[in-house]
Amino acid sequence: MDAAREPDPITIPGAPAPVPPSLEEPTEPHKPLPPKPDQGAPETRTPTGVPTDYPPETVGQQGAYLTTAQGARLTDTDHSLKAGPRGPVLLQDHHLREKITHFDHERIPERVVHARGAAAHGVFVANGAAESVTKAGFLKRGVTTPVFVRFSTVLGSRGSADTVRDTRGFATKFYTDEGVYDLVGNNIPVFFIQDAIKFPDIIHAGKPHPDREIPQAQSAHDTFWDFVSLHTEAQAHAMWNMSDRGIPRSYRMMQGFGVHTFRLVNDAGETVLVKFHWRPKLGTHSLTWEEAQLASGKDPDFHRRDLADAIEAGAFPQWDLALQVMPDTPEETFEGIDLLDPTKIVPEELAPLQVIGTMTLNANPTNFFAETEQVAFHPGHLVPGIDVTNDALLQGRLFSYIDTQITRLGGPNFAQLPINRPHAPINDMLRDGMHQTAVHAGVAPYKPNSLDGGCPFFAGADEGAFIDIPVTVSESVKERADSRSFDDHFSQVTLFYRSLTPIEQQHVAEAYAFELGKCYEQAVKERQLQALANIDADLCATVAAALGLPAPAPTVEVADVEPSPALRQVGEQWPAEGRVVGIVADESTEASALATVREGLHAAGIVPLVIAPHGGMLHGIPVQRSVQTAASIEVDAVVLLAPSTDPRALRMLGEVFRHGKAIAASPAAADTLEAVHIGDAPGVVTVEPAAAVDELLTLLSTHRVWERLEALRA
């Protein structure tokens, strides 16, 4: 981009640096450039939680000159110190050894699960609706709390693709005045297992086969379906994964769930049981299966890029945080549903959602490693007013997470990393250890003491102490067992499937057919078909026909359930803000028409993406994609302002059409629609450029043109 050009009033995301680079290598020394406007950073606090009032750049690199890690300025970093120009390298070359040694240790062990992630900074503003059920300070009316959110896939490595069919992590770190609170959840409200002792088993089953290390980041293989078909409590999560939930359109359009049931306590000491829900303002939407495959090949970073670009473009993602509130009864059940079973949901028709605040993500990380990679979540990071239940999966997570952080981050002081530092005073009596960056004073890190004047002191409830909620533990025997209420592995799977619309059900059947079709062992396929027979006969028959196998009869009575419309993704209307619309134009397009559409989309909160036959500029407007680099997966709709015979443009248009996306064409481009036989289809309109935006706003409200998808599959 030409630095001398007039600045564009519409932010085009993707610039790698805060200012355009010069053509020649800069030689005039200057301080490090500031972060980009879309970037944020952890608040500057001491290792013990004291705000420093220093700007974020004070924790970044300093000065205009290259130095060693100890601050000695360097004249050269391109040549090793040698015994003559052609001689051996000398051991005394400290800079070489420091540079290479640090490079050798730049990577830390990746997470066993959730290795592939993306993150952003933001704020959470409470509306006060939770004040009656919890004394948590950050949930009081009008309180604004900084947050850091990490989204992730579960099974894949850090180098895997974003758009694989998988569960997504949705982990939120609230930097509250009462300490860090971590809500560590997923985009699916149920989990594969009921007890954490089986977590290694489900992950070992889902991970690549240990002999060949394939397939990567997917469940379409024998070991996964072998475990799931034998361990039928996993059928609920498997069904959610086979639905469109398994391939989200965007992290911005993805729900989040706390999965477990938690216990809240208010100022009066009254308790309730709750489930947490994140609801995206843009609605919950997914990719089609073909889009997911295209994205894995054309842009493996699709979700990561989408999140970062949206924030940079000012289309800040938002979610409402909501509660399902149930009575805290001794049985810990609600409407016959065991609330300690993480493979079960509570339908929203039985316990409606109560919105308690809104989260806005408004800044990208400044440094991926320091923030996204080093952030450490833990479901045991709680604040007064929020406590755990006896969910056996949650109980195991309370042990597992801290052990994971110590292994990954090199020691017990991971809370002192800037991204993990609490925004509350820290006086924990923990000392020393690897990577201790605090300089603790005093001689008595123990209780009780007199040598440090008795400090630190205990707090009471009036001082905001975290007090474990006293819960009666029933008299019982010590045993390895589950409650009998955990034995129903099929009725809620039937509930989920029968709550979906026909097009969503078809996607589920196609997903099962694909995944089981990738399995080698016939016995695994037949065993999973038996599980499907116990869920829904029509689903089982459809999948069996695709596999060329007979559909078995059920071995249990198939549940007669009342569908829950809240589980559907299709049928509601959503705001168009934050969507990406491609504008296909060329030199024949009137400059005023291009400007009108682009500015109109931007004014509606939509991110415009200009696509032309070439890069550079078109009528004074930056071209963001050429037909060679453009991909249909990037856009939610297309405005066609120029006719085209380029096969690449026509292929993209055909993909947009097949994927049920809205298409608006100017009269000048109508012949192109006819050339690819899409002129009369639902969701394809021919309008003057000035009216294109209004037409698209209506069509985008349902995310896709579903009647077109249904017609294409008929």
Side-chain angles (χ1 to χ4, degrees):
M1 187 182 295
D2 185 354
R5 183 173 53 82
E6 286 294 319
D8 192 331
I10 298 176
T11 299
I12 298 176
V19 297
S22 59
L23 186 60
E24 302 295 332
E25 179 183 357
T27 57
E28 186 66 29
H30 60 80
K31 293 181 179 180
L33 296 175
K36 291 170 55 184
D38 63 290
Q39 292 176 325
E43 288 190 16
T44 52
R45 291 177 176 256
T46 71
T48 51
V50 179
T52 65
D53 295 327
Y54 296 150
E57 54 266 28
T58 58
V59 298
Q61 61 271 36
Q62 303 295 315
Y65 297 97
L66 179 67
T67 72
T68 68
Q70 305 303 314
R73 292 184 178 181
L74 294 166
T75 62
D76 189 316
T77 193
D78 293 328
H79 306 92
S80 300
L81 186 66
K82 299 187 288 288
R86 299 175 60 81
V89 174
L90 299 177
L91 182 63
Q92 75 178 69
D93 190 346
H94 166 71
H95 175 49
L96 167 68
R97 288 187 289 117
E98 179 183 73
K99 186 176 180 180
I100 292 296
T101 300
H102 195 281
F103 169 77
D104 290 342
H105 294 83
E106 280 184 0
R107 296 294 177 265
I108 61 177
E110 72 174 27
R111 292 166 170 84
V112 177
V113 288
H114 298 278
R116 172 77 178 180
H121 295 273
V123 294
F124 174 80
V125 180
N127 63 16
E131 291 183 26
S132 63
V133 293
T134 179
K135 61 182 178 181
F138 81 99
L139 292 178
K140 295 188 182 302
R141 181 181 301 275
V143 174
T144 299
T145 303
V147 298
F148 188 73
V149 180
R150 187 177 187 271
F151 305 103
S152 55
T153 52
V154 171
L155 291 177
S157 68
R158 281 192 62 196
S160 58
D162 278 347
T163 58
V164 294
R165 182 181 293 280
D166 195 2
T167 305
R168 265 71 181 176
F170 192 135
T172 306
K173 186 176 290 291
F174 296 84
Y175 302 95
T176 86
D177 293 339
E178 298 176 300
V180 164
Y181 171 57
D182 286 346
L183 180 53
V184 194
N186 288 333
N187 74 319
I188 289 176
V190 294
F191 203 66
F192 286 109
I193 53 176
Q194 296 166 327
D195 191 313
I197 199 170
K198 292 174 281 196
F199 191 75
D201 301 308
I202 181 59
I203 297 304
H204 288 167
K207 284 285 190 177
H209 293 198
D211 56 343
R212 301 187 181 188
E213 190 64 12
I214 57 174
Q216 173 63 242
Q218 56 184 294
S219 54
H221 55 92
D222 287 84
T223 59
F224 175 81
W225 289 103
D226 182 42
F227 179 85
V228 167
S229 60
L230 288 169
H231 207 66
T232 52
E233 71 189 55
Q235 289 294 321
H237 195 147
M239 174 70 79
W240 280 78
N241 256 358
M242 294 305 103
S243 78
D244 290 341
R245 306 280 184 141
I247 43 175
R249 158 63 180 88
S250 163
Y251 289 137
R252 301 179 292 127
M253 304 172 193
M254 187 176 81
Q255 291 180 9
F257 302 91
V259 178
H260 308 286
T261 300
F262 292 85
R263 181 172 277 108
L264 303 187
V265 61
N266 63 15
D267 289 319
E270 300 163 331
T271 61
V272 293
L273 299 178
V274 304
K275 286 184 176 289
F276 288 100
H277 295 246
W278 288 112
R279 291 290 169 143
K281 291 283 196 178
L282 293 178
T284 306
H285 308 296
S286 297
L287 296 169
T288 66
W289 180 230
E290 184 185 18
E291 283 180 304
Q293 294 177 83
L294 288 170
S296 291
K298 291 188 174 183
D299 188 1
D301 307 304
F302 181 69
H303 285 151
R304 182 180 292 185
R305 189 186 316 281
D306 174 88
L307 177 67
D309 281 359
I311 291 172
E312 186 177 0
F316 299 143
Q318 289 188 311
W319 290 259
D320 286 331
L321 180 61
L323 296 179
Q324 283 183 296
V325 181
M326 286 79 67
D328 188 1
T329 62
E331 298 79 19
E332 295 173 303
T333 63
F334 179 73
E335 298 288 342
I337 301 166
D338 194 326
L339 298 178
L340 300 187
D341 183 352
T343 69
K344 303 294 193 298
I345 65 166
V346 176
E348 293 177 31
E349 291 77 12
L350 299 179
L353 298 187
Q354 302 177 35
V355 175
I356 61 173
T358 300
M359 178 173 70
T360 303
L361 298 184
N362 55 21
N364 288 312
T366 298
N367 184 280
F368 184 93
F369 178 82
E371 299 166 77
T372 307
E373 193 61 19
Q374 290 196 131
V375 66
F377 296 96
H378 184 2
H381 292 163
L382 301 166
V383 292
I386 303 176
D387 208 344
V388 299
T389 58
N390 290 337
D391 177 337
L393 177 63
L394 175 56
Q395 294 281 315
R397 293 177 73 196
L398 298 176
F399 282 95
S400 173
Y401 278 62
I402 194 165
D403 185 47
T404 295
Q405 311 305 355
I406 290 172
T407 298
R408 291 191 64 248
L409 300 174
N413 293 307
F414 57 85
Q416 295 183 14
L417 293 168
I419 193 62
N420 296 322
R421 289 181 181 177
H423 292 189
I426 308 300
N427 195 344
D428 53 20
M429 294 197 302
L430 305 177
R431 295 292 186 269
D432 307 338
M434 188 74 75
H435 304 148
Q436 175 61 257
T437 57
V439 182
H440 293 106
V443 297
Y446 52 83
K447 289 286 292 178
N449 78 75
S450 63
L451 296 180
D452 281 348
C455 187
F457 298 92
F458 293 120
D462 292 344
E463 291 84 27
F466 181 89
I467 298 175
D468 298 282
I469 299 173
V471 177
T472 300
V473 178
S474 302
E475 183 178 345
S476 188
V477 297
K478 183 170 62 178
E479 61 180 334
R480 296 186 184 274
D482 281 333
S483 167
R484 291 293 300 273
S485 59
F486 281 39
D487 291 345
D488 175 12
H489 297 166
F490 297 113
S491 66
Q492 282 219 339
V493 197
T494 303
L495 167 68
F496 176 70
Y497 178 73
R498 293 186 180 173
S499 298
L500 302 180
T501 60
I503 188 71
E504 292 173 291
Q505 290 181 343
Q506 185 171 353
H507 291 168
V508 168
E510 291 170 353
Y512 274 110
F514 173 83
E515 297 250 333
L516 294 172
K518 298 284 282 187
C519 294
Y520 179 87
E521 295 294 348
Q522 195 81 346
V524 171
K525 301 177 187 180
E526 293 176 359
R527 196 187 307 130
Q528 180 57 32
L529 283 175
Q530 183 62 70
L532 294 182
N534 294 341
I535 295 166
D536 185 88
D538 290 340
L539 172 62
C540 180
T542 301
V543 177
L547 297 175
L549 295 172
T555 57
V556 300
E557 184 179 354
V558 177
D560 183 15
V561 297
E562 185 69 29
S564 170
L567 298 176
R568 301 168 184 161
Q569 290 184 225
V570 178
E572 296 187 49
Q573 294 195 340
W574 305 95
E577 289 91 342
R579 307 305 175 94
V580 179
V581 172
I583 308 173
V584 181
D586 63 14
E587 302 294 343
S588 70
T589 303
E590 292 185 9
S592 60
L594 176 58
T596 295
V597 172
R598 183 172 182 259
E599 292 165 8
L601 291 171
H602 181 259
I606 293 172
V607 179
L609 189 74
V610 177
I611 304 169
H614 55 76
M617 304 291 289
L618 180 65
H619 300 316
I621 290 175
V623 174
Q624 292 158 262
R625 300 288 188 275
S626 69
V627 291
Q628 185 174 12
T629 60
S632 64
I633 53 174
E634 293 183 278
V635 300
D636 297 293
V638 163
V639 180
L640 190 64
L641 296 181
S644 178
T645 58
D646 189 307
R648 295 166 296 189
L650 298 180
R651 182 177 64 245
M652 183 184 73
L653 197 60
E655 290 170 356
V656 167
F657 179 78
R658 287 201 308 276
H659 302 154
K661 297 175 180 178
I663 300 172
S666 67
D671 289 346
T672 301
L673 298 182
E674 296 299 329
V676 290
H677 310 294
I678 61 175
D680 274 335
V684 180
V685 295
T686 302
V687 293
E688 294 294 338
V693 174
D694 288 338
E695 291 282 353
L696 286 181
L697 289 176
T698 300
L699 292 169
L700 281 170
S701 66
T702 57
H703 182 62
R704 294 186 193 275
V705 184
W706 294 105
E707 58 267 38
R708 188 200 307 160
L709 284 180
E710 292 166 356
L712 288 172
R713 293 172 179 269

